[in-house]
Amino acid sequence: RWSLDETSGTTAADSGKAPSHGGSLSPLTLSGSGVGFGAGYIDNSLIFTGNGAATASGPVLDTTSAFTVMAWVKPSDLSTDRTILSQDGGASSRFELHFDREANGGAGGWCASMRAAETAAPVSACADGGMVGLPVMDAWVHVAAVFNPALTGQQLRIYVMGDPESCFPAESASVEFVGAWSVTGAFVVGRAR
């Protein structure tokens, strides 16, 4: 869990609990150009103005098991695809929570995507904006990706919640996803492979 409320430096502290199975906390290291701390919705946040990223030293998720990732985001540019969270494989990411400018017939949308294997095309669930509206520049939104391999056919779901005070209205979309590719690369904020 990263609150990203630091005011300077190149490290974002992990404020979660160390895993009970002997793991450790996973701070994020900022690297590349155009990434730093700045004013956020409540406190500070991570600001991206270039191609930088914030990266853990390794994986933080078992991508073959059920997981949920979420973030508050405020896009300042919707002219290109934008990655919020991902976890690296060798040449591609296993999962990605992102803005896809081609979703919804080119109108853009918030999406959760996963790959069944390193070279497989991603399978995506994209919110259609029916309840929350399509992504808007300079507006805070809460997005989450949920992978549940226990459901029939497995399932990947995107949740989008609009109002920063109440998380309503809300919407979701899901897609059947089958694949047990386990990746051991870094968990990343701000980019995907």
Side-chain angles (χ1 to χ4, degrees), residues 77-176:
D77 180 3
L78 297 173
S79 65
T80 61
D81 295 342
R82 300 288 179 187
T83 298
I84 303 166
L85 306 170
S86 69
Q87 189 159 296
D88 289 345
S92 56
S93 297
R94 163 70 161 157
F95 85 88
E96 186 179 352
L97 178 60
H98 60 108
F99 168 75
D100 183 341
R101 65 190 164 118
E102 297 300 320
N104 299 309
W110 301 110
C111 300
S113 300
M114 288 187 77
R115 294 176 188 271
E118 184 83 53
T119 58
V123 173
S124 299
C126 297
D128 66 10
M131 291 294 294
V132 176
L134 293 172
V136 176
M137 286 193 330
D138 299 319
W140 285 100
V141 64
H142 187 267
V143 292
V146 177
F147 174 57
N148 190 340
L151 296 177
T152 302
Q154 303 187 12
Q155 188 180 86
L156 175 63
R157 182 173 289 274
I158 178 88
Y159 290 91
V160 181
M161 290 137 297
D163 187 311
E165 299 296 326
S166 65
C167 291
F168 292 102
E171 68 177 273
S172 68
S174 65
V175 65
E176 189 173 290

Side-chain angles (χ1 to χ4, degrees), residues 39-106:
Y41 174 66
I42 296 173
D43 208 339
N44 276 0
S45 65
L46 209 49
I47 308 293
F48 294 90
T49 59
N51 64 357
T55 308
S57 62
V60 298
L61 298 172
D62 174 355
T63 59
T64 63
S65 297
F67 67 83
T68 299
V69 293
M70 61 184 75
W72 281 102
V73 296
K74 179 182 164 187
S76 60
D77 180 3
L78 297 173
S79 65
T80 61
D81 295 342
R82 300 288 179 187
T83 298
I84 303 166
L85 306 170
S86 69
Q87 189 159 296
D88 289 345
S92 56
S93 297
R94 163 70 161 157
F95 85 88
E96 186 179 352
L97 178 60
H98 60 108
F99 168 75
D100 183 341
R101 65 190 164 118
E102 297 300 320
N104 299 309

